[in-house]
Amino acid sequence: GRYIQLLKRFSVAAAVVSAIVYVSVRSVEFVNRVEKPLIVRTDIGERVRIELPDGSHVWLNACSEIAYGPRLFSSERGFAIKGEAYFEVQKMEGVPFVVHCEQMDIRVLGTKFNVQANSDDECITTTLLEGAVQVTSPMIKNKVIMRPDQQLVFNRKTGTAQLTMTDQARASRLWTDGRIHFYKATFAEIAKSLERNYNITISFKDDRIRQKQFICDFDSSDNIHRILSILQLTGKFEYRIQGRQVEIRSL
């Protein structure tokens, strides 16, 4: 039902976007494997929903990766991720679900949470919607127990973690419904997301516009011209597009 509607939505979106935009979604069903680990990767503008044998579901955002070893149901359900993923985990008594990111692990029994762990981002951001998760890292002195509507931002460079309440927990998973949502994000942060979703390269001619913050929400069917035009309404800048190169400068 819901996912079929999602598939239809992405199909329609893919048909109407301009040539500079590539959006697709596919579904992957995990199977128990005894030899090789399974790796699922997404390309630019691609989103994937993965159905696991235990009934859990994982959504991968663009330019992301998830991998699991041949012993999926030994003492834990262990996954390694790169990029951004949203998880809806089925509880299995005695078999914890563990997500391994660079420099940190997230351990759950049954919950819904989003993880941003893009390699080009300074921080790993975990946002909890339901349930509870335990976050550990060799760089964090004490383990962190997260509750719903909390967000943990772990800085890879400094090894520090900040846990805060957020009213944006539900919004953290909007990308699984074909939305591109930003809340008080800098233009530089927005640019990274747009590059992953629209197969473009964005360069800034001055630092002032890079650091400007925006609150905005777009549909994945919006082309890059429309997105930049809307951002112009609240940000004083001009842009130039040549092929897949986008140049932005302050006015």
Side-chain angles (χ1 to χ4, degrees), residues 162-218:
Q162 184 176 16
L163 180 66
T164 59
M165 296 296 297
T166 177
D167 59 1
Q168 294 294 302
R170 301 291 162 184
S172 71
R173 59 143 297 168
L174 285 177
W175 61 267
T176 66
D177 293 325
R179 305 297 299 174
I180 303 175
H181 177 80
F182 302 104
Y183 181 75
K184 294 183 179 180
T186 65
F187 209 160
E189 293 169 333
I190 292 172
K192 288 181 181 180
S193 177
L194 295 179
E195 287 177 338
R196 287 189 288 265
N197 282 280
Y198 290 88
N199 193 19
I200 56 176
T201 300
I202 298 176
S203 60
F204 294 91
K205 293 306 176 182
D206 56 87
D207 196 57
R208 184 168 51 133
I209 192 62
R210 279 177 60 91
Q211 299 307 316
K212 181 172 178 58
Q213 292 186 333
F214 294 85
I215 299 174
C216 48
D217 188 81
F218 306 105

Side-chain angles (χ1 to χ4, degrees), residues 52 54 56-61 66 77-81 83-91 96-101 104-117 124-136 144-152 163 166 168-176:
L52 303 177
D54 65 350
S56 298
H57 292 88
V58 183
W59 285 256
L60 280 185
N61 209 345
I66 189 169
R77 295 167 285 171
F79 298 85
I81 74 160
E84 183 170 14
Y86 171 70
F87 296 84
E88 292 188 353
V89 180
Q90 290 291 327
K91 184 175 182 179
F97 191 105
V98 183
V99 177
H100 304 284
C101 307
M104 63 181 285
D105 293 337
I106 303 166
R107 181 177 294 266
V108 306
L109 290 177
T111 192
K112 298 180 181 180
F113 64 102
N114 192 78
V115 181
Q116 287 178 291
I124 299 173
T125 302
T126 305
T127 309
L128 185 63
L129 286 75
E130 295 181 13
V133 299
Q134 173 185 296
V135 180
T136 58
V144 179
I145 305 296
M146 293 183 63
R147 302 302 179 190
D149 297 319
Q150 287 187 329
Q151 187 173 77
L152 180 72
L163 180 66
T166 177
Q168 294 294 302
R170 301 291 162 184
S172 71
R173 59 143 297 168
L174 285 177
W175 61 267
T176 66

